[in-house]
Amino acid sequence: MKRKIAAIFAADIAGYSRLVAEDEEETLRRLASYREVVDDFIAKAGGRIFNTAGDAVLAEFPSAVDAVRCAIDIQESLRTRNMAYPPSRQMSFRIGITIGDVVERDGDLLGDGVNIAARLEGLAEVGGICVSRAVHEQVVNKLSVQFADIGAQEVKNIPTPVHAYMVAMRREDGTYATPQVKKAAAKVAAAPVWTWPLVVAVVSVTGIGVTGFLYNTKLKQTASVAATPTAAPSATPSSMSSAMPSATPTAAAAAPSPMPTQMAKAPMAPSSASAATAPIPAPSASPMSGKFSADSVPFINERVRNFLAGDYSAAGDYKAFALNVGGFTGSALNQPSEEAARNAAIEQCQKRADAAQSPRRCEIYAVGNNVVYPHGKPPMPPQPWVRHDAMIERPFASKDFPMVREPQKVRIENMFVPAAKSRSVALGPGGQYFMVLGASSADDAARRSLESCGAIAGTACMVVAIDDNFVVPIPTLFRITGFFNAASNASIVAEARGEVVRKLGDAAGWNAVAVGTSGRAGLGLKAADEQTAVNSALADCTKRDSDCHVIAIGPFTVGPIN
């Protein structure tokens, strides 16, 4: 462990839980897009993401000026993106910044500096920035920024008040908004002791009155119900569970938190929401519909697919098929009504999912021979999904799994490593991951892991491991911070991105990208090892630019050398 002084940047999405509850898939998709913006600005400003937790980001900067300038750029960029959405669906960050003495341990930063930055973020306005006095003193004469002094603020778990300033954000017309200071709730004076008997008496009388009213109301409701004719009971649905393979799908949904949707905020490794190496298709906004085809059903194994192509397709109405993104399914054939078929299929699927502690709910995919799935097809990367390359493949090791924290690495070690072949792990740009275990083939495992991971992440994922090997280059000389997309990477000057994309192309072996102060890129291609690729990229960059540094290795963006 070592101590150092750093400018700490903490960002979090305001109202994230509400946004997820209202539209989970759309929120996760936009989070990935917005995180790409945030991560790119942080990297461009010389910052380093050292921790993330769902929608939150923690980063360090070499100076307070760089941190504040980066925060302003982020807020103004995201404000423009939010204009395309109604106010209730806008996704806005709060940002807090301080300078503090922190302890670095295994790349993570700990200490009061990190805690204070997080508390300042909580004080910030939606779409705003709140900084400590130390930061204000560093930047007040260096940036054309207006501040509002909000004084000493008492914050949770910090023994002394924190003197804070709000950054005045620029409006569309060029003027500056006046920050609104959050006022603490006024403390209520304690009531005199003699008032308590009076309070008790009033509460008791009120309680008696309310109880009498509710009792009389209940009597009236009971009488009303008794006078209403009872509906005839419907026929009990007979679910045809024996007709469908009942084996539990051998898939394990996982993310950097206990829930695949990342709703929990457990600490996780730095993760970027950048796109993957190849262009990523946007998830379909419209539900899946049309005639049922077993070949088009996502998430399922081949045994279930064969059942759907045979017994299910041949059965008459009424029938239904349900699934969840973890690959759990349920079906009902020859039911007395469409509603009975729906209910039976959902019930069977949900029982299987609950028994395996799958957190994803089951939904109806097909009724009769018609697809009625409420979601679009899961976003998938272009094929081939796996490219075997002896120069970059190496034995799988859970400790080297990218973009996740230790608890997730332990889970992968306990589940993936001992599982039967064929098995695959797909990784999303937001740190989501999905394991498929004991599949019929490596191709089947890869497909299913990508489909489920893509549905959870809201964007295309990448297969990082098949059976006993990593199938993408896993950097060890640098810290992985996210997915790399040369076509949109802000560190590379715009006119050079096309050439970088073309040269990377299908280059086998280890590939590295370096950039200088002007954004001119240098490439190290088709190297036999990581160090050679890095050296070649830096040497190529220095021919065009100055102060070159490595920004990507293989499909990953990378940070400073460990």
Side-chain angles (χ1 to χ4, degrees), residues 235-327:
T236 303
S238 174
S239 176
M240 298 291 289
S241 59
S242 60
M244 178 180 170
S246 57
T248 302
T250 51
S257 68
M259 299 289 284
T261 56
Q262 287 192 323
M263 291 178 67
K265 291 187 178 180
M268 61 183 243
S271 59
S272 167
S274 309
T277 350
I280 290 178
S284 173
S286 58
M288 293 177 68
S289 59
K291 287 296 181 182
F292 176 82
S293 170
D295 291 337
S296 301
V297 182
F299 317 131
I300 61 173
N301 59 37
E302 292 308 308
R303 186 181 302 174
V304 175
R305 196 178 307 281
N306 291 337
F307 162 78
L308 294 175
D311 294 356
Y312 183 88
S313 296
D317 286 338
Y318 295 100
K319 61 186 178 185
F321 175 69
L323 50 67
N324 76 359
V325 299

Side-chain angles (χ1 to χ4, degrees), residues 490-556:
S491 298
I492 305 172
V493 67
E495 59 266 26
R497 294 173 192 167
E499 182 183 6
V500 174
V501 171
R502 180 181 60 80
K503 286 186 176 181
L504 286 174
D506 295 327
W510 286 86
N511 302 306
V513 181
V515 296
T517 53
S518 300
R520 299 295 171 183
L523 302 180
L525 303 177
K526 302 180 180 179
D529 57 67
E530 181 183 1
Q531 187 66 67
T532 302
V534 168
N535 294 343
S536 298
L538 291 172
D540 189 39
C541 177
T542 55
K543 297 176 183 177
R544 304 176 178 85
D545 214 331
S546 59
D547 295 329
C548 293
H549 62 282
V550 174
I551 62 167
I553 296 176
F556 299 106

Side-chain angles (χ1 to χ4, degrees), residues 309-354:
D311 294 356
Y312 183 88
S313 296
D317 286 338
Y318 295 100
K319 61 186 178 185
F321 175 69
L323 50 67
N324 76 359
V325 299
F328 294 89
T329 61
S331 69
L333 311 179
N334 304 320
Q335 299 295 299
S337 67
E338 180 180 304
E339 182 180 3
R342 284 175 174 266
N343 292 340
I346 282 285
E347 180 181 8
Q348 184 187 77
C349 178
Q350 198 61 55
K351 282 182 177 178
R352 291 173 175 172
D354 291 344

Side-chain angles (χ1 to χ4, degrees), residues 402-403 427 462 472-475 480 482-484 551-558:
M403 298 169 57
L427 176 68
M462 169 176 60
V472 294
I474 305 294
I480 297 173
F483 282 13
F484 176 63
I551 62 167
I553 296 176
F556 299 106
T557 56
V558 294

Side-chain angles (χ1 to χ4, degrees), residues 35-231:
R35 275 293 310 277
E36 180 176 3
V37 174
V38 172
D39 292 8
D40 284 348
F41 273 117
I42 290 174
K44 193 173 182 179
R48 178 183 75 91
I49 296 175
F50 63 86
N51 207 332
T52 62
D55 60 307
V57 179
L58 290 170
E60 65 167 327
F61 287 83
S63 77
V65 173
D66 292 334
V68 173
R69 184 188 289 118
C70 176
I72 293 171
D73 289 342
I74 288 170
Q75 295 293 36
E76 291 186 348
S77 177
L78 295 185
R79 181 188 64 189
T80 302
R81 287 175 175 248
N82 274 327
M83 291 172 64
Y85 299 91
S88 63
R89 293 302 302 165
Q90 290 183 1
M91 184 178 288
S92 301
F93 280 85
R94 293 188 177 98
I95 299 176
I97 304 172
T98 191
I99 298 174
D101 188 322
V102 294
V103 175
E104 184 172 6
R105 184 174 64 189
D106 297 330
D108 202 358
L109 299 184
L110 308 170
D112 282 347
V114 178
N115 296 334
I116 291 172
R119 301 308 176 199
L120 290 169
E121 172 263 307
L123 293 174
E125 295 179 291
V126 175
I129 304 164
C130 185
V131 304
S132 66
R133 179 163 55 187
V135 171
H136 175 262
E137 291 172 350
Q138 290 290 324
V139 306
V140 66
N141 295 321
K142 299 181 179 70
L143 295 177
S144 299
V145 179
Q146 298 184 23
F147 294 91
D149 187 347
I150 64 174
Q153 301 288 317
E154 293 186 2
V155 294
K156 184 178 179 182
N157 295 333
I158 304 298
T160 57
V162 178
H163 199 115
Y165 293 77
M166 295 284 197
V167 176
M169 301 304 296
R170 189 166 52 191
R171 298 189 181 99
E172 292 299 321
D173 59 4
T175 62
Y176 287 86
T178 302
Q180 301 297 314
V181 181
K182 293 184 178 181
K183 295 182 178 179
K187 293 183 179 180
V188 180
V193 175
W194 60 265
T195 62
W196 285 108
L198 178 60
V199 172
V200 173
V202 171
V203 171
S204 299
V205 171
T206 304
I208 294 171
V210 171
T211 302
F213 171 77
L214 293 176
Y215 180 73
N216 288 332
T217 303
K218 181 65 176 176
L219 287 177
K220 292 178 181 178
Q221 290 175 342
T222 303
S224 174
V225 171
T228 304
T230 304

Side-chain angles (χ1 to χ4, degrees), residues 413-468:
E413 177 70 22
N414 293 338
M415 295 184 66
F416 183 79
V417 173
K421 297 180 181 179
S422 294
R423 57 187 186 271
S424 169
V425 187
L427 176 68
Q432 309 89 346
Y433 65 94
F434 196 95
M435 299 181 280
V436 168
L437 315 174
S440 59
S441 66
D443 287 344
D444 183 51
R447 173 189 59 80
R448 289 166 56 199
S449 64
L450 286 170
E451 286 176 340
S452 296
C453 180
I456 293 168
T459 187
C461 295
M462 169 176 60
V463 173
V464 296
I466 291 285
D467 293 333
D468 299 324

